Amino acid sequence: MRKPGHAIDTLFTDRWSPRSFTAEAMPEATLLQMFEAARWAPSSYNYQPWRFLYALRDTPAWPTFLGLLTDVNQVWAFRASALVFVLSDSRVMRPGNDMPVDSYTHVFDSGLAYAQFALQATRMGWITHCMQGFDKERSYAELKVPHDLRINAVVAVGRQAGPEQLSEALQAREKPSDRRPLGDLVCCGTMPDSWRSPAAP
Ligand SMILES: Cc1cc2nc3c(=O)[nH]c(=O)nc-3n(C[C@H](O)[C@H](O)[C@H](O)COP(=O)(O)O)c2cc1C
């Protein structure tokens, strides 16, 4: 269904974010394979600032994790097999320093790790759906995360089910989305005026 404008590995277009999950149990070892793929992501100074907190469905931590999602995400994510909070450490120990300093790249680095996680899941026949819709304040408190780590997103992981079990509104959205043309996104040389936000001077 998805047509790339240039030849790329089908893994990139095969990955998308369905909302209909089978609610099946997932072996912890399978999830660990996805974390292993994330572990090999590049990062500034190879500092590897990403951290992952996870709960498998039907385990004691599951209700806490699910309860941190916004209602609009809970209505479909409750059928996932695992929920993963993606954190990053905002403090980095630079080579030769004895005190950590603020990291410029920790969010970027953890996004790279998530991308590798998601692609590994796709390769293994699982689906992922990343979410920013979660209660930030309660997540820091209930997951006991100090504020020098940033909670960036939550990921629902599972197996894909048919769309019938979703609401009509969500069924209508249960299909791979397209992308802007490459020409809108890349430019050889300095930034084109078309990228300026209308509000910017
Ligand atoms: C950081 C991030 C946050 C997102 N938050 C939500 C969310 O809260 N709820 C949701 O339904 N989808 C969420 N999404 C999924 C995006 O809407 C989806 O990735 C995007 O529309 C592209 O579609 P695709 O992943 O199927 O290719 C999020 C994705 C990312 C990367």
Side-chain angles (χ1 to χ4, degrees):
M1 256 166 111
R2 286 174 151 179
K3 285 207 175 70
H6 296 263
I8 56 171
D9 194 299
T10 51
L11 183 60
F12 298 106
T13 40
D14 286 348
R15 185 221 56 82
W16 64 286
S17 307
R19 292 185 176 83
S20 189
F21 290 84
T22 57
E24 68 193 68
M26 173 181 201
E28 196 166 25
T30 302
L31 188 62
L32 292 178
Q33 280 179 270
M34 298 169 195
F35 288 132
E36 183 65 25
R39 189 164 83 92
W40 291 98
S43 61
S44 179
Y45 291 96
N46 194 21
Y47 196 59
Q48 304 158 61
W50 43 77
R51 305 286 183 269
F52 303 99
L53 295 173
Y54 70 92
L56 296 169
R57 70 174 301 111
D58 305 326
T59 64
W62 179 260
T64 304
F65 276 52
L66 185 63
L68 293 171
L69 303 183
T70 55
D71 291 347
V72 289
N73 283 332
Q74 279 190 42
V75 294
W76 55 266
F78 77 96
R79 294 197 193 89
S81 305
L83 288 171
V84 178
F85 277 77
V86 182
L87 282 55
S88 55
D89 190 347
S90 69
R91 305 281 289 166
V92 56
M93 188 75 85
R94 292 262 164 77
N97 285 13
D98 53 2
M99 289 289 287
V101 296
D102 286 341
S103 163
Y104 183 72
T105 60
H106 63 104
V107 176
F108 186 90
D109 295 333
S110 75
L112 295 174
Y114 165 64
Q116 298 202 177
F117 178 101
L119 293 171
Q120 179 66 30
T122 304
R123 173 62 52 87
M124 292 163 64
W126 293 78
I127 57 170
T128 58
H129 196 126
C130 190
M131 292 167 272
Q132 58 80 32
F134 61 97
D135 188 317
K136 276 73 182 183
E137 224 174 280
R138 279 205 301 118
S139 296
Y140 282 92
E142 294 185 27
L143 301 176
K144 303 188 194 313
V145 177
H147 276 84
D148 49 352
L149 275 84
R150 187 171 195 276
I151 305 181
N152 296 310
V154 192
V155 185
V157 188
R159 290 271 196 204
Q160 191 175 359
E164 323 75 51
Q165 61 185 354
L166 297 174
S167 67
E168 267 183 35
L170 289 184
Q171 279 186 38
R173 297 168 64 187
E174 192 70 348
K175 50 179 183 266
S177 54
D178 205 353
R179 289 298 186 268
R180 296 182 188 196
L182 196 58
D184 287 1
L185 308 174
V186 300
C187 176
C188 180
T190 58
M191 195 185 92
D193 282 344
S194 60
W195 290 6
R196 265 177 220 290
S197 141

